Structures are given as structure tokens and as C-alpha cells.
Amino acid sequence: MNKRGSIGAIGSLQASNQSIGGHTWNVYRGWNGSIEVFSFLRTSNTNSGNVDHKAVWNWIQNRGWWNNPTINNIQFGFEITNTSNSNQSFVCNGRSDWNG
Amino acid sequence: MNKKKQSLIVILSIMFITIIGVISLVLKPSSKIKDTQDWEQITVSAVKSLKVGKAAEANQFCNQAMKLLSQVEKEDIRMVKTYMLMGEIQRWEKKYDLAEKSFINAVNSCRKIYGPNHPNMVIPLESLANFYYYTKIHYYKVANLYLQILNIEERKTPPSNREVAIRASNLAFVYQLSNQYEKAEPFHKKALMLAENAKDAGKSDLIQYLMASSEFYRAWGKCEQADLLAKRALEMRESIAKSTPGSDAQLDVSICLDALGKINLSCEHPEVAEHFYMRSKTIIEKIMGMEHPDLVPRLTGLAAALRAQKKYNAARLQYERSVEVIEKGLGSDFPEIVPVLEEYAALLNEIKKPEEAKMMMVRADSIRNKNSDI
């Protein structure tokens, strides 16, 4: 949803400017050496918003990248790759998941 | 006991032992399956450790995985993936020379096991390309690797046109990044042609390659071609939006409008660019709200179009609003504000307000310096 610095997603670009679940993403796919990874990088940063996960999962399904898996774990957080040798704060002010 | 009964007992015993033996073989997991399960658990643990910043622990798991595989009779894709995992860990630790070696080892290992043109080669080639793309920024090496991947995809029987199009488009983009437009063009054309002829992929792929090609021609300075392709994409998106409820289809339309705004700005038609950016801005305001950071590219695009027409007051309003939106939505020191402040400063200089321009630049420099290592 928000990225800073010269980090990149695993694998390579598969689809650009895809509007899914209320946001626009560049989509990447690749392997990290253990598992296959699908990355949806928002094309511009935001600090808040609602994401329709199911729309994203359906997009992956329609692409043929998985076949009706059971989702048993959803996590939300920060992937910190660099803090520029200084202390930085990462604050999540709130989150919620719901079934619609 | 007579001989007949003894023979029957022996036969039945042999049958019983055989049946028990077969059942044991069927029920007991083969050692290869167990090794794979162990390898999967170890590598997943390595990834989990890395995600929480425990690189040393991730390394230990990775070494365990290597040790497990050293006991396997024949090398397989797991060795390749373990080298890749090692490369990711070393990249995370900023041990870039070691990471490069690990990714290269993954490629060499795969080549040794499967041969240079095997479909499995795509995975390690892609990882090495990713490393050169994001970490070393060696686009010529990325291009070589992408070309190898494209060749492998084209050799598959049957080839997946979608995969070939993706690889061709990615290769074209890397050439484009290095301003090698003549080299990029045939690959953009290939991706577009495959998407035009695709029966199963739907319009989305075609629109994507129309947009990619449009941006390519814009960057190359070929305005007419850029405009034609982007207009075709817009027409398709507008047609889809008419029959598709929801905000996603509208967002797609706004992306096409942005592209046309950018093309017309580059090609010195700011009055046309203004029209496209206004339309896009209106869509985003409706879907995201009046203060969403997604408005910023539309506001700054509009500002540039207005400034080019010497509508300075109107342009200034858009820059001011952009700054406010970023400050409220992302924070006053967010790096995204830097280019906006710089453009605003350029406008202020143009309208002879050098002191205000200087303030903008000082602020921009300060924010840039704070984020210089990120």
C-alpha cells in the first residue's frame, strides 16, 4: 500500500496498472527460494484505505496462478528493509478484517 | 500334520508376509517425500526469520536445508531454490557480492541439472535478473537474462502466448530504460501482436500492452503513435466501464486519461493535456475523495498543463493543493512531496517570486537529505 526506497518485489512484472479491489496495482510473481510469491504494489502511496482481498484473490485465480486454495492466515504489517541508519517509527493506527 | 497342510501353512505365511510388506511400503512415506517436507519446513522457517529481521537465524535454516540436500542422491530443483534463498538472505544483509554469487550458483546448478533451455531455468534466471535490476541496477545484464527467459518461453511446447508477451514486454521495458528504443520496439510490437491475437486472455492484456507501447512511443518522442495507442486503450476502457459497475472500471479509465494527459504535455499540446487531467481528477475525487494522495499526479499534471499555457494562478492552486494533500495524507516529510515542491518552485521563479521559490527548494532539499539513504 505504501513503499519507500529502492526496494523491489520478488520475481518480475506480470501486469501493470491493474485496478482491483478499489486500488490500482502493479503485479509481480516469482520465487523467494522457498515459496511462490505474488506481490501487488500500489502504483502510488497511501496511508489508509480499504482493500477488497477477495477481489485480489479472484484475480489470481482467474489468472490461473492458484486453484481454489484455503486461506487460513491473513497478516498485516510493515516489511522494513532499511531505516537509513536512524531510528524510525512505524505505527499501525488500526486495522480490521471483515467478511462481506 | 500331513504334508499338504504344512505346504498350505507355508504358502499362507508367505502370502501374509508379502501382503504386510506391500502395505508397509504403501503406507510408509518414501524418504524423498519426507526430505521434501523437511526441506519445505526449513526453508519456510528461513523466510519467516528473515521477515522479522533475524538474518542469522535465516542463514542457519538455509544451511540446514543445504546440508539436507547434500545427502540426497541426485540434485534437483530444491538445490536451485536453496541457492536463491541464500541469495535473498545475503541481499537483505547487504552482502551483495555474496548474494550475486548465490544467485549465479542457482542458475549454474539449474543448468547442470536440467540443461540451459529447460523451463525450470526461468526461476533462477528471473531471480538473478531481479537482483541486477533492483540491487546492482545493471540493465544490460537484466536484458541478457530476460532474453534468455523469452527464448525459453518461446521454445515451450506449446508456448503460452501470455507468458511470451509478458517476457517480451519486460525485455522491451529494460531496453527502454537504457534508451535503446530501436532494440525495444520489436519486443513491444511482439507483446501487442500476441495480445491482439489472444482468444483466452481477454481485453485486459491487450489494453495493458497498448498502454505500455503508448508510453514507450511517448518516451521516444513519437507523439502520433503514442496518442493513437492510448486513445484506443481509452476507448476500450470506457466501453468496459459502461457495462461494469464499481470503481475499478472507473479507475482504469482515469489511468488511460492520465496517459493521454502525459502524452499531450510531452508533445506540447497543454490545452489538450488540461482536458484529460481534469477528467481524470474528477473521477479520482469521486471515487477516493477530495483529499486522497492519488489525486496528486492528476493535480501536478494539471498544474504543468496550466503553467505551459501561462495560466499561472490556476497552476499555483493545483501545486498548493498537491502539497496539502500529501501533508495530510502521507506526512509533511514524505519523499513524494519533493518533486512537487521543486515544480512549484520552478513556477514561482517563473512568476518572479524568487524568495518563495527558495523556501520551497530549501524544504525540498531538507526532505531529500533526510531520506537519502532509503
Side-chain angles (χ1 to χ4, degrees):
Chain A
M1 301 293 286
N2 189 319
K3 70 179 182 75
R4 289 173 65 167
S6 58
I7 51 146
I10 292 276
S12 59
L13 181 68
Q14 302 290 307
S16 55
N17 288 312
Q18 301 289 304
S19 295
I20 310 163
H23 301 266
T24 306
W25 318 90
N26 289 329
V27 185
Y28 299 79
R29 180 189 187 196
W31 285 82
N32 65 8
S34 174
I35 52 174
E36 192 171 22
V37 180
F38 311 126
S39 304
F40 287 71
L41 270 57
R42 204 173 184 282
T43 54
S44 57
N45 290 321
T46 185
N47 268 0
S48 65
N50 297 322
V51 180
D52 182 350
H53 291 154
K54 188 118 187 293
V56 174
W57 302 336
N58 284 338
W59 190 94
I60 297 173
Q61 175 82 13
N62 290 337
R63 201 78 178 189
W65 290 353
W66 67 25
N67 187 17
N68 285 324
T70 300
I71 307 289
N72 57 23
N73 200 303
I74 297 177
Q75 297 177 3
F76 179 86
F78 303 95
E79 185 161 340
I80 302 164
T81 60
N82 189 327
T83 60
S84 190
N85 292 323
S86 64
N87 291 327
Q88 303 276 339
S89 294
F90 297 86
V91 178
C92 176
N93 292 317
R95 63 159 282 200
S96 58
D97 300 292
W98 68 95
N99 292 320
Chain B
M1 197 186 292
N2 65 30
K3 275 189 181 173
K4 265 190 185 172
K5 271 189 185 168
Q6 280 178 343
S7 301
L8 187 59
I9 288 169
V10 167
I11 290 166
L12 285 172
S13 301
I14 291 170
M15 279 176 65
F16 179 73
I17 290 166
T18 306
I19 288 167
I20 294 298
V22 166
I23 290 172
S24 301
L25 278 172
V26 166
L27 290 181
K28 181 184 167 184
S30 74
S31 61
K32 184 165 183 191
I33 295 171
K34 189 179 177 313
D35 279 346
T36 300
Q37 287 169 345
D38 288 345
W39 176 85
E40 281 173 2
Q41 277 172 7
I42 293 168
T43 54
V44 165
S45 298
V47 170
K48 280 181 180 170
S49 298
L50 196 59
K51 290 279 179 199
V52 295
K54 294 179 182 174
E57 197 174 274
N59 261 320
Q60 278 175 1
F61 282 122
C62 202
N63 289 333
Q64 270 182 44
M66 275 294 186
K67 196 174 167 189
L68 180 81
L69 294 175
S70 68
Q71 292 156 8
V72 162
E73 244 182 67
K74 199 177 162 195
E75 280 187 1
D76 58 34
I77 194 76
R78 291 173 296 169
M79 180 60 82
V80 177
K81 288 179 179 174
T82 308
Y83 275 126
M84 283 165 53
L85 179 56
M86 197 175 284
E88 291 299 337
I89 296 168
Q90 287 157 343
R91 179 153 70 165
W92 194 93
E93 293 177 299
K94 297 189 185 175
K95 294 175 181 170
Y96 298 134
D97 289 344
L98 287 176
E100 185 176 11
K101 280 189 184 139
S102 295
F103 287 123
I104 289 173
N105 281 341
V107 170
N108 288 339
S109 171
C110 198
R111 190 177 288 131
K112 189 175 142 197
I113 299 167
Y114 297 105
N117 299 317
H118 193 278
N120 281 352
M121 283 295 297
V122 171
I123 294 173
L125 286 170
E126 193 171 66
S127 284
L128 182 55
N130 185 289
F131 172 76
Y132 285 133
Y133 189 100
Y134 288 109
T135 307
K136 292 274 186 167
I137 314 182
H138 288 161
Y139 292 141
Y140 70 99
K141 287 188 179 179
V142 178
N144 285 340
L145 292 163
Y146 276 2
L147 192 54
Q148 287 181 58
I149 293 172
L150 174 62
N151 289 337
I152 289 169
E153 290 292 349
E154 285 180 317
R155 277 196 172 97
K156 278 184 182 170
T157 333
S160 157
N161 286 336
R162 178 175 248 174
E163 276 304 313
V164 173
I166 288 168
R167 303 303 180 176
S169 182
N170 287 348
L171 176 56
F173 185 65
V174 172
Y175 283 135
Q176 190 179 323
L177 283 175
S178 327
N179 298 327
Q180 297 182 78
Y181 294 108
E182 284 86 5
K183 274 188 166 174
E185 190 178 26
F187 294 105
H188 273 301
K189 284 184 167 172
K190 178 184 273 248
L192 199 46
M193 182 212 50
L194 287 168
E196 296 260 24
N197 295 333
K199 288 171 191 150
D200 52 346
K203 287 182 184 164
S204 176
D205 283 13
L206 175 56
I207 294 170
Q208 177 181 314
Y209 296 125
L210 284 168
M211 297 291 287
S213 296
S214 166
E215 170 55 22
F216 162 70
Y217 283 114
R218 186 205 66 80
W220 201 1
K222 299 198 168 187
C223 294
E224 205 178 310
Q225 277 140 303
D227 191 65
L228 208 65
L229 292 163
K231 277 185 172 151
R232 197 174 154 211
L234 175 63
E235 203 181 302
M236 292 175 75
R237 282 280 179 227
E238 284 177 325
S239 169
I240 292 168
K242 276 183 192 154
S243 55
T244 311
S247 59
D248 288 350
Q250 290 300 318
L251 285 174
D252 284 337
V253 170
S254 81
I255 289 161
C256 293
L257 292 167
D258 293 338
L260 280 158
K262 199 171 170 187
I263 289 164
N264 281 281
L265 212 50
S266 292
C267 301
E268 297 175 359
H269 302 302
E271 68 289 350
V272 181
E274 178 187 344
H275 159 76
F276 285 119
Y277 280 125
M278 276 297 296
R279 280 186 61 192
S280 181
K281 180 177 81 81
T282 305
I283 290 173
I284 300 300
E285 282 171 341
K286 196 173 164 189
I287 295 172
M288 299 297 203
M290 300 296 286
E291 294 183 332
H292 198 277
D294 282 359
L295 278 167
V296 172
R298 284 89 187 182
L299 292 171
T300 54
L302 182 55
L306 291 164
R307 184 178 152 204
Q309 297 173 79
K310 300 192 192 313
K311 295 178 183 176
Y312 295 125
N313 286 337
R316 187 172 181 168
L317 287 172
Q318 306 311 317
Y319 285 128
E320 281 174 357
R321 191 175 166 203
S322 299
V323 169
E324 274 169 30
V325 163
I326 295 176
E327 284 172 343
K328 270 192 185 158
L330 297 171
S332 55
D333 283 354
F334 202 83
E336 258 178 42
I337 209 171
V338 170
V340 179
L341 292 170
E342 287 173 342
E343 285 179 40
Y344 192 0
L347 169 70
L348 289 167
N349 274 324
E350 211 172 319
I351 60 175
K352 313 272 190 271
K353 293 188 187 289
E355 287 305 312
E356 285 185 63
K358 194 176 170 188
M359 272 172 48
M360 294 292 153
M361 287 308 295
V362 164
R363 187 178 166 197
D365 287 341
S366 161
I367 295 169
R368 189 187 300 107
N369 291 336
K370 266 189 209 170
N371 295 283
S372 61
D373 291 341
I374 293 177

